[in-house]
Amino acid sequence: MSFFQYIGRNSHGDTVEGWIAADTKDQAQNKLNQKRIQPLVIRAGVSRIPVKVNREALLTSLRELASLRRSGMGLDKAVASIAALTEDPALKDGWQKVYEFLHNGFSFSEAVENLPFIFPRYVPSMVRLGEANGDLPNALLSIAQRIDKEMELVGEIKSALTYPAFLIVFSISILLFLFSYVLPNFESMVDSSNGQASALASLLAIARFVNDNMIWILGGLITSIGLLIWGMKEGKVQSGFYRLAAQLPFTRDVIAYWDIIEFSSSMSRLLGAGVDLLEGALLSAEGLSQERLRYRLLDAINSIKQGESFSQALQQKQVFPNLVIQMIAVGESGATLPDSFNEIAHLYERRMKNALKRAITLLEPSVIVVMGGLIGSIMIVLISGIISVNDIAI
């Protein structure tokens, strides 16, 4: 499922714009027509849109909104109050747009669905659930809890990757220093026409190329950084990262466990709130990062509609590992599926943390060996070249 950006006119003739989740452009147009919006422009986006606001600020504002709603304040006034109190500029603009959507006749779930850069993709479905059962404050608190959990996990990942990232940046800086400053000083020591110190001569040729094209190299680096930042804002980097990480042996287990945690946590909350099993599975499938896994789950849901049990359908389509399916089967037999999904989430949180530690344990020495070997090889060539030149001179 991808996001489509649109510009259209509502039933009052006002111009509205936002994003809508759909599989195809035609499906996006049909959804807009159902919302009584006449689309003028529909532009295809990406499957994963990154949240551009501070998650701590979003977490706080959601809890404040839940408190205001519990106190009996109207939704539009509560949203206006949150927009006035929020200090984060992007989040303030997001809440103001939610307020505008509400005044244009949108429901709260439809309003947040139009702002995927502000609210994570699972927020609209959970808000829709709260609207359906008349308990929006609890739905907002559940969203806040999920964001809090995500922040904790993402914080652990960032902390684990800090040291390898520092090593890579530091090693690249050393290489640039060697090629741009140190190696040119050895130019006069090597007479490449006589075949002396051929390895050192090759390094000097690379150093000359680097120095002669330094402007182009720096321009390429700046352009690459700019494209990387743009790709992250558009969600293209995240989508590519998830696809790549799901294939690499170091990170494959981490991504698989993360999807199990996301699905199980969502199912536990939705089923606990009284949502139908099929509807909960459809809503939870939207949060999966692997498209292949999402399609398998959707196929399993179609099998459930034909009369198969949830666990049997998951097993036939090979959606999750056997342990997960067995725990789901136990929950089905005892009518305790919410508790079973909660146990699955806790179990795989521990497994994901252990898998992440293993990946980092392998990543750090790999970076040290590769970068250290590269820099060490250059130093060995330099020393060997100096020795060979001295031998020739003698």
Side-chain angles (χ1 to χ4, degrees), residues 211-271:
N211 283 280
D212 293 342
N213 299 277
M214 183 60 72
I215 295 178
W216 292 104
I217 292 174
L218 292 177
L221 287 173
I222 294 173
T223 302
S224 299
I225 294 173
L227 289 174
L228 180 63
I229 294 174
W230 173 81
M232 292 180 67
K233 289 183 177 180
E234 294 294 321
K236 299 181 183 296
V237 173
Q238 289 86 337
S239 299
F241 169 78
Y242 280 108
R243 286 194 297 267
L244 178 63
Q247 303 298 325
L248 295 176
F250 289 166
T251 56
R252 183 169 50 206
D253 289 343
V254 176
I255 298 299
Y257 293 160
W258 173 258
D259 277 333
I260 293 174
I261 293 168
E262 287 286 286
F263 180 78
S264 300
S265 300
S266 178
M267 288 294 290
S268 177
R269 291 190 178 94
L270 292 174
L271 295 179

Side-chain angles (χ1 to χ4, degrees), residues 130-245:
E131 291 174 333
N133 60 22
D135 195 4
L136 184 58
N138 276 337
L140 294 172
L141 291 177
S142 295
I143 295 169
Q145 290 174 1
R146 182 166 179 175
I147 293 175
D148 191 20
K149 194 62 165 180
E150 288 182 353
M151 288 173 56
E152 180 183 347
L153 293 174
V154 171
E156 292 180 2
I157 294 174
K158 287 183 178 180
S159 298
L161 293 177
T162 298
Y163 182 61
F166 170 77
L167 286 177
I168 293 174
V169 173
F170 185 69
S171 299
I172 292 175
S173 301
I174 291 177
L175 287 174
L176 287 176
F177 176 74
L178 287 174
F179 281 112
S180 62
Y181 181 75
V182 177
L183 284 170
N185 294 326
F186 291 86
E187 189 79 39
S188 60
M189 298 178 60
V190 178
D191 185 2
S192 59
S193 61
N194 294 331
Q196 299 174 354
S198 58
L200 181 58
S202 300
L203 284 178
L204 291 175
I206 297 174
R208 284 194 295 271
F209 175 81
V210 170
N211 283 280
D212 293 342
N213 299 277
M214 183 60 72
I215 295 178
W216 292 104
I217 292 174
L218 292 177
L221 287 173
I222 294 173
T223 302
S224 299
I225 294 173
L227 289 174
L228 180 63
I229 294 174
W230 173 81
M232 292 180 67
K233 289 183 177 180
E234 294 294 321
K236 299 181 183 296
V237 173
Q238 289 86 337
S239 299
F241 169 78
Y242 280 108
R243 286 194 297 267
L244 178 63

